[in-house]
Each structure stands twice: as C-alpha cells, then as structure tokens.
Amino acid sequence: MLPKNLNEIVMGYIEPAPIKDKENPFESMMSRFHIASQALGLDDEVYNVLKSPAKQVVVSLPVTMDDGSIEVFEGYRVIHSSILGPSKGGVRYDMGVNLDEVKALAAWMTWKCAVVDIPYGGAKGGITCNPRQMSKGEIERLTRAYTIAMIEIFGQDRDIPAPDMGTGPREMAWMMDAYSKAYGTTVNAVVTGKPLVLGGSLGRVEATGRGVMVSTLVAMEKLKINPYHATCAVQGFGNVGANAAMLLEERGVKVIAISDISGAYYNNKGINIREAMDYRNQNNGSMSGFTGAESIPAEDLLTLEVDVIIPAAKEDVITTQNASDIKAKLIVEGANGPTSANADAIINDKGIMVAPDILANAGGVTVSYFEWVQNRLGYKWTRERVNRRMDRIMKESFERVYKASLEYDVPMRIAAYIVAIDNVAQTYKYRGGY
Ligand code: NAD
C-alpha cells in the first residue's frame, strides 16, 4: 500500500525521518532506501531482511612492527547481503574506519551491484590504521594477518574483497597470496583489483570514469543535449574525475572547469584534459600551478554556468547551502554520496536530472566482476571486449532506471534504488528464508 503523501516524500518535500543537513552517508542512504521501499510497496518481511547486514565480523590483528613491538589493529568485514550471489566490496585502510561506516558502505554495495544487475551481494571491509605512517613491511604483515583472520569469510564463491581508500593492487596481491598459500593452491578470483600480471583486468583503472562518461552521454540523449555543444565542470581530478573528463572530451564535450584539493581551474575555451593529466602526473598528483586555465574559487565550480557537473571527489559536496545555485541541467555522480538527502529536494524542484552514484559510478564494480569472470575462466579479455561489455551494461542499467523513474514518477535516484531493491527483493522471494 503506497502512503498517501508518497509523492511529497519522494520529491523530498517531506523527509521520512528528521535529517540533519550535515548528514552521514549512511543516513542519506537509509532515507533513500526507505523512500524507494515505500514506492515499491516492499513488504515488511523483505524490508527487515534488507535493512540490516547479514553478517558482521570484527577481528583483532596483532602485528609485529619494524621496531619489534606488537601493535593490535581492529579489522572489520560486513556482509550486507548475499542474496544475489557472493558478496563484493572493498577494504578500506583509514583511521576513521569503524563498524558503523563499514555497515553503511556494505549496504551501498548491495544496491550498486543490484542496479547494474551483476550477480553479487554487497560487503565492505576495513582496518582502523594509518597506512601513511606505516612501512611497506608493516602494511604487508597487517594485510596478511587480516586475510588469514577472514579466511572463512572470504572465498571466490563467498565474499570477494577489492581495493578502497588506502588500499590498491599491491594489497590485493598480498591478500590473494595469503589466501592462496593457506589453501595450497592459487585462487586469484578471491580478490579483484589485482595487478595485471596476477589476473587483473585490462580497463579496470579507467572503468569508473568510463562508466561516468557512458552515463553522461545517455543522460544527455534523454535531455536532448548535443555533446558537441555541451559544457561540463568536473570536481576531483583523480582516477574517476580525470578519466571521465578525458573520455567526455574525446566525445566532443567541452570541459571548462576542473578541480582538485589544490583548487579549481577554469577556461571557457575548454581545458586540454590530456595536458592537464600530464601536468598532474608530473606534479606529484596535484593541479597546483596549472597554467592551462585560470584559478577560480573552489566553491564556484559546482555552480558554474555549464550543462553538466560531475562531482567526482568526495561525499556531501552538494548540500542545502549550494543546491539552489546550481545551474547545470545534469548532475552525474562520480563520487559516492556527493549529494545530501536534503539537497535532493531542491535539485528535484529545479528539474535537474541526476545520474545517481549507485548507477553512474558502477563501472568500477562491473569491471571487477569481469576480472572475476576472467579469473574463473582462466582467460584474458582484450581491452576492447571489456569496454564494449561495460558500456552495454552501463547503458542498459541507465535505461532501466530511466524507465522506472517514468513508471513510478520519481527522480532518477529513487528510481535507481527501486530497481536495485526490486531486484534483490524478487530474488529473495524465490530463495526464501528459514
Ligand atoms: P582519487 O583519490 O584518485 O581522486 C580524488 C580527487 O579528488 C583528487 O584529485 C583530489 O585532489 C580531489 N579532491 C579531494 N578533496 C577535494 C575537494 N574538497 N574539492 C575538490 N577536489 C577534491 O579518488 P577516486 O578513486 O577518483 O575517487 C573519487 C570518488 O569516487 C570517491 O568518492 C570514491 O569513493 C568514488 N568512487 C571511486 C571508484 C574507483 O573505482 N576509483 C569507484 C566508485 C566510486
């Protein structure tokens, strides 16, 4: 039974629960889950199954430090759902890691995999540590200790870790090796995001940016924006932002502003993205001092007079403080959680289309899935095959979400949650509980 005021709830005029403006991503995610569940008419049983994680594991990891002392680290793995298949999600190394954060990110992974219809559930892991203050040897011992502590959780058919903040191909190689040694056989499908020589996939590095590009182009088609006449501003010039900017530039879009932690850079003739990437690569990863554009205040980037903005840096950057000043017709969320739930209402009011994070940045997990498929097949795909298949999945997923947004008369974000929750709920109904 749909609530009477559903339309107001969905459009964000009425919040399902009071939300502070500075939200944590978990609250934002849960409020959208709640709204989408109501729109779908999800029954209580399934709602309760999906509301909380299936499994939460906390481990203590004693590690010998370089000075001979022993430090004990706390490690987590939360499996939110294995309804669609083995759970999938990154492992984060950061001092801010805690069980609540890992729980939120695990649920997020469930929706992300479900919206692009790949046969994975959602999980997330983490260790509370500061990798920047640890030696390579200390990080390696910590990674191996974590893998062994999770040996019964991880598995190519059970739960498959991947990189996240503070981890990368190097840590994935150690995890794969520790796991394989424990079982006495090479199991490279147990983690994704591995170095190429260990079974990593071609196209993985640029996959998220590429998915953002595909989502942007499909959304432009819906809005009847010609890419050759379109302008774009990209916040964050790292893996996701820079690759998205480069691929969009290749398809005719004029990227007139970019930004990173050092500031924002504007050129109304269009920034030469290759040049900007070369500059960043030779400048310790920073755009500071870039002369291919003029410096503008960082906070102006998202409110520039452009057709598209792509927040691809961090969470909570579009809030009630700046949402009403946004002039773009389209927001494509490269980052996770860049828009607060309260800002949704303003954006919907202004008629701005949003390609939401769980859809727009799902290119990364899609190619992770391809990595796993290739490992299981014992075969390597070409970059062209990876890109072609990913483009197809991204396009089809966008179309599914767009169709749901028309059918339920809801914004794209809620539609993405509807598609994802419906996928998991329908599967759960067939599989059942006890
Ligand atoms: P990254 O570390 O490669 O790049 C982040 C960029 O954002 C850097 O250029 C940094 O300088 C910039 N930045 C940081 N704070 C900023 C600020 N306040 N204003 C402007 N720029 C700022 O990270 P990434 O891998 O590109 O990830 C970016 C976002 O995309 C994150 O939210 C991440 O969770 C999300 N994401 C990444 C992937 C992936 O495959 N890499 C997949 C899905 C989602």
Side-chain angles (χ1 to χ4, degrees):
M1 183 69 176
L2 297 184
K4 246 169 84 196
N5 59 353
L6 177 72
N7 218 22
E8 285 87 347
I9 293 177
V10 163
M11 297 308 290
Y13 299 131
I14 300 177
E15 295 296 344
I19 295 175
K20 304 181 287 298
D21 189 47
K22 185 72 192 158
E23 296 143 13
N24 72 37
F26 183 61
E27 285 171 349
S28 289
M29 188 271 296
M30 279 313 289
S31 79
R32 285 139 181 177
F33 168 64
H34 183 85
I35 294 168
S37 303
Q38 291 200 345
L40 248 182
L42 195 67
D43 63 44
D44 285 353
E45 185 198 346
V46 183
Y47 181 88
N48 288 333
V49 170
L50 298 180
K51 176 175 96 173
S52 26
K55 195 179 280 186
Q56 306 176 45
V57 184
V58 183
V59 290
S60 283
L61 305 166
V63 173
T64 307
M65 307 306 277
D66 289 347
D67 65 2
S69 65
I70 291 187
E71 206 167 309
V72 181
F73 295 88
E74 191 123 299
Y76 309 90
R77 186 73 180 166
V78 172
I79 295 177
H80 173 257
S81 163
S82 305
I83 293 169
L84 291 186
S87 50
K88 185 91 190 84
V91 178
R92 180 171 285 197
Y93 288 4
D94 188 73
M95 280 315 286
V97 166
N98 60 65
L99 189 58
D100 272 343
E101 180 187 73
V102 179
K103 273 161 68 176
L105 296 168
W108 217 317
M109 284 305 297
T110 301
W111 312 133
K112 199 179 285 194
C113 294
V115 80
V116 288
D117 199 21
I118 57 180
Y120 283 148
K124 203 81 183 188
I127 303 176
T128 316
C129 66
N130 184 349
R132 283 176 299 281
Q133 282 177 6
M134 295 168 72
S135 71
K136 181 177 168 205
E138 289 167 344
I139 298 175
E140 176 171 355
R141 291 191 289 280
L142 177 62
T143 304
R144 289 182 185 274
Y146 176 74
T147 310
I148 297 304
M150 297 292 175
I151 202 84
E152 279 162 13
I153 304 297
F154 295 159
Q156 59 177 1
D157 292 312
R158 274 197 303 262
D159 178 42
I160 308 149
D164 194 71
M165 240 160 79
T167 59
R170 182 182 73 167
E171 286 73 17
M172 297 307 108
W174 290 328
M175 279 189 195
M176 178 275 212
D177 184 68
Y179 186 90
S180 297
K181 283 201 170 86
Y183 281 100
T185 180
T186 298
V187 192
N188 58 6
V190 72
V191 295
T192 63
K194 299 179 291 293
L196 269 179
V197 286
L198 284 192
S201 180
L202 288 165
R204 173 63 188 90
V205 173
E206 58 278 26
T208 306
R210 188 176 177 88
V212 168
M213 174 273 288
V214 174
S215 303
T216 307
L217 292 185
V218 184
M220 280 183 176
E221 205 181 295
K222 303 292 177 210
L223 294 172
K224 303 202 173 8
I225 300 174
N226 179 344
Y228 286 93
H229 298 153
T231 54
C232 172
V234 181
Q235 183 187 56
F237 205 62
N239 176 289
V240 179
N243 280 303
M246 182 187 69
L247 293 164
L248 282 168
E249 185 192 41
E250 280 173 12
R251 283 152 187 82
V253 176
K254 205 199 283 182
V255 181
I256 64 169
I258 56 174
S259 71
D260 74 353
I261 192 78
S262 73
Y265 307 88
Y266 174 85
N267 180 342
N268 67 357
K269 293 195 179 65
I271 293 171
N272 183 327
I273 300 297
R274 285 257 171 215
E275 221 174 83
M277 282 170 96
D278 288 345
Y279 180 84
R280 179 201 64 180
N281 296 343
Q282 287 156 19
N283 196 35
N284 252 332
S286 169
M287 290 307 296
S288 163
F290 179 58
T291 51
E294 63 178 281
S295 271
I296 55 165
E299 60 277 14
D300 289 358
L301 182 117
L302 295 173
T303 55
L304 285 173
E305 195 82 52
V306 285
D307 297 297
V308 189
I309 54 173
I310 301 182
K314 56 196 277 276
E315 70 290 340
D316 256 333
V317 291
I318 300 176
T319 64
T320 48
Q321 305 296 309
N322 60 359
S324 51
D325 296 327
I326 292 176
K327 296 170 195 78
K329 303 177 193 79
L330 171 64
I331 301 174
V332 183
E333 297 184 335
N336 286 319
T339 308
S340 77
N342 287 338
D344 276 351
I346 301 169
I347 287 164
N348 295 335
D349 246 357
K350 289 170 70 92
I352 300 171
M353 181 189 269
V354 178
D357 47 10
I358 59 169
L359 170 68
N361 70 32
V365 75
T366 302
V367 175
S368 279
Y369 164 60
F370 292 166
E371 177 177 336
W372 178 83
V373 170
Q374 292 169 74
N375 296 159
R376 306 300 299 267
L377 290 171
Y379 188 71
K380 244 185 181 340
W381 294 352
T382 59
R383 188 184 299 276
E384 290 67 35
R385 175 173 290 201
V386 169
N387 288 346
R388 196 173 59 242
R389 292 188 176 192
M390 192 202 69
D391 290 0
R392 197 189 64 216
I393 289 186
M394 292 303 297
K395 270 188 207 145
E396 286 174 359
S397 305
F398 192 103
E399 293 292 350
R400 250 195 321 275
V401 170
Y402 185 73
K403 191 163 160 247
S405 85
L406 298 178
E407 192 179 322
Y408 288 87
D409 193 18
V410 294
M412 286 286 284
R413 186 188 309 287
I414 300 302
Y417 277 89
I418 287 178
V419 167
I421 294 166
D422 192 35
N423 189 357
V424 181
Q426 282 197 45
T427 311
Y428 177 77
K429 281 192 176 153
Y430 278 110
R431 295 187 63 162
Y434 294 101

